[in-house]
Amino acid sequence: MIPLERRSFLALTGVSTAAVVLGTGHPAAAGYDGKVPPAPFTLGVASGSPLPDGVVLWTRLAPEPLAADGHGGMPRRPYTVHYEVADDAAFRRVVARGQALASPELAHTVHVEVRGLRPNREYFYRFRAGDEISPAGRTRTAPGPRDTPTELRFATASCQAWYHGHFTAYEHMATEDLDVIFFLGDYIYEYAINANNLWRQGVPMPAPEHNTETVTLEQYRLRYALFKTDPNLQAIHAHAPWLVTTDDHEVQNNYADEWSETGITPADFLRRRAVAYRAFYEHLPLRAVSLPDGPSMALYQRLGWGRLAEFTMLDNRQYRDTYPAGAVIDNSPERHNPDRTILGTRQERWLYEGIARTRATWNLLSTGVVMAQIDRDTGPGELYSNDMWDGFPANRDRLFAALQRSSATPVVLSGDIHRHVAAELKTDWRDPDSAMLGVELVGGSIGSDGDGADTDSFGPLWLSNPHVKLYNARRGYLTGRLTPTELTSEFKTVPYVTRPGAPITTAARFVTEAGRPALNREV
Amino acid sequence: MPDVVRRLRATGEVGRIRLSWEGEAYHPLVDHYAVYASIDGADETLLAKTVYATFVHSGLGGRARTVRYRIVTVDAAGRRSRPSSSVTGTSVESVAVSGLALATVGTFDHKSLELALAPNGYAQFPTRFPNDVDFTYGVHAPGTDWAYLHPGPADAWAGRKAHRFTLHFDLSPVPPADPWLAIWLIDTHATNPGTVTIGLNGTPVRDVALEKGATRGSLEGDATLPGTTLKPSYVELALPRAALAAGENTVTIDKPAGSWHAYDAIGVFTRP
């Protein structure tokens, strides 16, 4: 950091710049300067939801991030947080400045929606509270809606069980040249953390308040804080803007709308969902529109990367129907009820309208759980996981019908299973010769399930489905390079995560042509 | 300030008191409710924090306990309401405490440890109990002859079939009123606890849907340890006197649906 620039940032009063005030009712963010506890930026910075003219900037004031009450060691009063955005990493050419209010209602997080930036450009940002200055982050804006960029470089990540391993995958991801990162769910896990599941070596056992399933807001906040203390997670947030969705563990395993598998009544479970969504919003770079109202969170969204790609971020938990016949895995007649939905009626309508309107070459659809049909009976019978899109075949059929009417090539990005899987999406799953609609790239977990192996006991099951072209049971991430003519996807793995320092390997590389979707394996 | 909860109610059952209340959940957002309790006149302490508008104060044991409760609402900004009005609840005394034992297996102590294969030897069940449990009071010993875990048809390790546990005991004479059966469980399966069918001398008595537990009772056997995740539950019901016989009687516990449950103790009692 340049001392001169630091001084000018410290001197900034910012009263004339736009204030962004979220969820507090205060008329402006100015006027809450004052002595901030030392070293409050312990959880890093982040950016997200890039538009052609702006991006969301995030940070949290938390001098004691693991304070048991979930308030991060902050006094119960609001603080003004100043931000600046620059063209350069040294902050010599600052292009935007402003302030936001960090309030105890939102655990002293801020979500600044910067506008007025130029399209398709790299920017750098940082925050100040009192005399404290945050680490700097790098972000970028999307291309203009009518531009056709020559390429998009992205990565996907999911399932970061902090206690199962080190985030070495993120350490390597942060060395990649990336425009955006898609996070596909399970940012936290709700489970108690104790000697049974702390496989991450070299860290002390978290305090007893972590040894319980998260139910209250303070517990969810504490869980995000614990995970976000990881330096590699902070580094990858600071590396590129994120687009995020949830899966189940942000609330509770296998939940569906207001239904909990542990028998919590819907009325009580919605109260829990409300605090879980609140903590999710607080800790991710989301727009104010996603600030939950009680148990409802507007999470699904559509963004663009010029004419090259449309990004469709789906919410596959908040509105889904419960298991068709009460079992996670079955092939019940109820599965095929045409009314079944994983997205909910409104999100489905919004999705199909968007698919019909897009003029992009590619449509990247992000969803938490696997979309491809996976028959889990390796014999003549059929069994399906109702926790995945397989529990909602009618919804999948409606989506595929909409995609078939669009000229954009669909690429589905998903997670959940802690395995790298590449699958071709078929118009008729029973006919291997039927047309290919698109491809699905399932990125393995960042940490969940520990070290893993190249394959495991589920490998034959997945690979017995002829449209599945890759199965790898190691931890890692996925990268993609999109051009107007092709997508190159690489599945990256690390050989271990319980101890740090693993090298990175490209386990597989596929090329998919625009308009002729298939998985052509190169590596 | 967050709202003070209203309509705080307490309902006693065997071993526990159920609390429920009403209050605004979302505006402002409730971080949690802090439940304070004074047990049998002792000083008030923080019993639990929950985001739900219900709480089950469990682990009270078989004796009747009287507890006074108050609740403080804590919101997302960390603000605390004043305490609610207090309510007092009393747990129901178990027949295992108040009754006279006619036959028992194990000790009613929230532990499975004195039973066969406890606390985690369930994998040996198919070889140790190939014909399930058939236990005669006064003849057999709990530590070798009554398995701590009763498998259900959902359990592949026990052959995916219904299992019957049988208890024989002598009565002479037949008591003048219905005796009671007490089944204490230290835990059940969290998502698929299933049902048990109770029979007396070949006559069906009742089907009982078991409560959801924590899926830990197959691995650990002491629900009195601090921080235990085990979720004990209780089944207590009258046995119809008309179905009793002088001499040998037989109670059967069938598990026609669901996964396992883990026993603490079972017994037949006359009520005082």
Side-chain angles (χ1 to χ4, degrees):
Chain A
M1 197 152 299
I2 307 299
L4 179 68
E5 296 302 317
R6 178 181 165 86
R7 279 200 298 279
S8 71
F9 192 22
L10 285 167
L12 182 73
T13 57
V15 286
S16 62
T17 56
V20 177
V21 184
L22 298 180
T24 64
H26 292 289
Y32 294 94
D33 283 300
K35 183 148 182 64
V36 175
F41 296 105
T42 57
L43 299 177
V45 300
S47 72
S49 292
L51 298 173
D53 68 340
V55 68
V56 180
L57 306 180
W58 175 95
T59 194
R60 180 179 171 191
L61 307 180
E64 299 167 38
L66 302 183
D69 64 3
H71 285 280
M74 287 297 287
R76 301 287 196 278
R77 50 153 285 200
Y79 287 86
T80 303
V81 175
H82 303 265
Y83 66 88
E84 59 183 19
V85 180
D87 278 334
D88 61 313
F91 290 87
R92 289 194 181 90
R93 297 185 303 279
V94 172
V95 298
R97 287 189 166 110
Q99 55 204 5
L101 200 66
S103 73
E105 284 84 352
L106 295 175
H108 293 95
T109 61
V110 296
H111 301 71
V112 176
E113 297 186 34
V114 182
R115 304 303 290 259
L117 303 180
R118 286 187 288 174
N120 204 25
R121 290 183 66 93
E122 182 177 69
Y123 288 100
F124 299 85
Y125 61 95
R126 62 183 177 180
F127 299 92
R128 173 176 67 80
D131 295 338
E132 302 286 338
I133 294 181
S134 76
R138 169 197 171 275
T139 190
R140 64 173 300 123
T141 51
R146 278 180 286 278
D147 297 342
T148 301
T150 54
E151 67 170 14
L152 163 73
R153 291 175 181 271
F154 67 90
T156 78
S158 61
C159 305
Q160 49 183 33
W162 175 92
Y163 45 85
H164 275 180
H166 292 270
F167 293 165
T168 315
Y170 281 145
E171 188 179 358
H172 292 288
M173 192 192 284
T175 67
E176 307 252 8
D177 180 11
L178 296 172
D179 297 314
V180 292
I181 294 165
F182 297 97
F183 189 82
L184 306 171
D186 296 344
Y187 193 95
I188 59 158
Y189 283 77
E190 77 279 21
Y191 300 124
I193 299 173
N194 52 47
N196 294 325
N197 60 8
L198 184 65
W199 304 343
R200 173 185 277 232
Q201 296 171 15
V203 297
M205 177 64 65
E209 54 267 24
H210 300 269
N211 186 14
T212 184
E213 182 166 325
T214 52
V215 171
T216 65
L217 180 56
E218 68 180 22
Q219 290 168 338
Y220 281 105
R221 282 172 168 167
L222 198 53
R223 193 56 56 94
Y224 281 94
L226 176 67
F227 283 30
K228 288 178 87 78
T229 55
D230 183 281
N232 291 319
L233 177 57
Q234 293 188 19
I236 196 62
H237 270 301
H239 185 61
W242 284 39
L243 290 148
V244 298
T245 190
T246 63
D247 192 28
D248 51 344
H249 290 288
E250 283 84 359
V251 184
Q252 191 192 32
N253 185 48
N254 287 354
Y255 86 95
D257 190 354
E258 62 184 16
W259 177 83
S260 157
E261 70 175 8
T262 57
I264 302 161
T265 63
D268 273 347
F269 189 70
L270 287 174
R271 288 168 172 261
R272 177 169 172 182
R273 199 178 88 179
V275 298
Y277 283 179
R278 170 70 80 100
F280 175 79
Y281 168 80
E282 286 172 349
H283 291 87
L284 275 303
L286 289 160
R287 295 188 179 279
V289 69
S290 295
L291 175 64
D293 180 12
S296 303
M297 174 168 63
L299 185 61
Y300 58 84
Q301 62 169 331
R302 189 158 41 233
L303 295 98
W305 207 256
R307 290 275 171 84
L308 180 62
E310 181 151 287
F311 305 154
T312 308
M313 304 300 294
L314 298 175
D315 178 344
N316 65 202
R317 284 286 163 189
Q318 190 175 180
Y319 314 103
R320 66 159 61 187
D321 291 324
T322 52
Y323 297 141
V328 185
I329 293 174
D330 69 10
N331 186 25
S332 61
E334 293 90 337
R335 261 184 80 234
H336 297 282
N337 183 334
D339 295 335
R340 284 185 61 70
T341 177
I342 188 173
L343 299 178
T345 307
R346 274 184 70 184
Q347 186 177 192
E348 278 201 56
R349 190 167 61 238
W350 164 89
L351 174 60
Y352 307 147
E353 287 169 0
I355 290 170
R357 273 206 311 269
T358 185
R359 298 174 66 184
T361 304
W362 301 90
N363 195 344
L364 303 190
L365 297 119
S366 294
T367 181
V369 293
V370 171
M371 187 180 286
Q373 176 176 294
I374 304 296
D375 179 2
R376 310 174 81 84
D377 188 330
T378 52
E382 295 180 40
L383 281 175
Y384 300 98
S385 170
N386 292 312
D387 199 56
M388 304 183 183
W389 279 76
D390 269 340
F392 311 85
N395 193 157
R396 184 171 54 202
D397 289 348
R398 290 190 291 275
L399 170 57
F400 281 17
L403 290 171
Q404 280 181 284
R405 292 191 293 269
S406 164
S407 61
T409 302
V411 177
V412 174
L413 306 172
S414 59
D416 173 48
I417 58 170
H418 314 166
R419 311 289 187 276
H420 281 320
V421 166
E424 292 168 339
L425 301 176
K426 308 290 288 186
T427 51
D428 181 352
W429 300 108
R430 294 169 190 280
D431 177 5
D433 296 326
S434 68
M436 276 179 235
L437 182 70
V439 297
E440 177 167 14
L441 309 173
V442 190
S445 67
I446 296 297
S448 306
D449 278 351
D451 290 340
D454 280 337
T455 190
D456 61 12
S457 60
F458 294 104
L461 179 162
W462 284 75
L463 291 167
S464 72
N465 292 270
H467 48 276
V468 173
K469 304 301 180 188
L470 171 72
Y471 182 91
N472 183 293
R474 291 200 187 279
R475 310 289 78 84
Y477 62 93
L478 170 88
T479 61
R481 178 175 175 269
L482 270 185
T483 72
T485 57
E486 65 182 30
L487 159 66
T488 306
S489 53
E490 293 192 331
F491 290 86
K492 308 281 181 82
T493 61
V494 287
Y496 52 88
V497 294
T498 51
R499 53 206 163 86
I504 194 83
T505 304
T506 300
R509 180 189 302 130
F510 296 95
V511 172
T512 301
E513 294 177 56
R516 293 180 55 199
L519 290 166
N520 305 297
R521 188 160 183 169
E522 292 194 334
V523 173
Chain B
M1 282 297 130
D3 289 348
V4 180
V5 304
R6 304 176 305 276
R7 297 172 65 85
L8 174 59
R9 280 167 289 193
T11 308
E13 299 178 5
V14 174
R16 61 194 170 197
I17 298 170
R18 291 184 186 274
L19 297 178
S20 66
W21 57 88
E22 295 174 9
E24 169 59 41
Y26 304 133
H27 302 107
L29 184 69
V30 171
D31 177 325
H32 63 269
Y33 298 106
V35 181
Y36 291 86
S38 163
I39 302 177
D40 294 332
D43 288 347
E44 186 177 77
T45 57
L46 176 63
L47 177 66
K49 297 176 182 179
T50 181
V51 76
Y52 307 134
T54 55
F55 180 72
V56 180
H57 184 191
S58 56
L60 292 173
R63 289 189 295 115
R65 310 287 295 276
T66 296
V67 188
R68 186 172 59 82
Y69 300 95
R70 295 196 299 174
I71 291 180
V72 170
T73 312
V74 180
D75 75 7
R79 297 177 301 186
R80 301 172 67 85
S81 76
R82 60 180 172 79
S84 69
S85 321
S86 65
V87 69
T88 298
T90 301
S91 62
V92 172
E93 192 153 72
S94 166
V95 293
V97 172
S98 62
L100 183 68
L102 300 173
T104 57
V105 182
T107 314
F108 293 83
D109 60 357
H110 299 98
K111 299 173 188 173
S112 66
L113 303 174
E114 72 278 19
L115 302 177
L117 304 181
N120 55 14
Y122 65 90
Q124 300 169 49
F125 182 89
T127 51
R128 285 278 303 279
F129 295 92
N131 300 311
D132 289 341
V133 166
D134 192 75
F135 188 101
T136 300
Y137 177 64
V139 174
H140 293 114
T144 51
D145 300 316
W146 189 281
Y148 79 109
L149 210 67
H150 188 148
D155 296 315
W157 53 268
R160 288 198 183 281
K161 60 181 183 181
H163 294 269
R164 165 174 288 189
F165 280 34
T166 304
L167 170 62
H168 308 282
F169 58 98
D170 274 337
L171 278 183
S172 55
V174 171
D178 287 350
W180 277 61
L181 175 68
I183 302 174
W184 285 22
L185 305 174
I186 61 156
D187 200 20
T188 59
H189 196 274
T191 57
N192 193 11
T195 56
V196 291
T197 299
I198 309 297
L200 174 62
N201 295 330
T203 302
V205 174
R206 201 200 292 180
D207 291 343
V208 181
L210 298 183
E211 294 176 21
K212 289 179 176 174
T215 319
R216 289 295 299 170
S218 53
L219 300 173
E220 54 188 279
D222 188 347
T224 68
L225 290 176
T228 179
T229 55
L230 297 169
K231 282 190 180 172
S233 54
Y234 311 86
V235 175
E236 300 201 356
L237 49 86
L239 296 173
R241 182 175 178 275
L244 291 172
E248 184 179 305
N249 288 268
T250 300
V251 167
T252 51
I253 306 169
D254 287 308
K255 186 103 199 216
S259 184
W260 54 261
H261 57 267
Y263 288 104
D264 172 352
I266 77 160
V268 181
F269 299 87
T270 56
R271 304 204 87 170

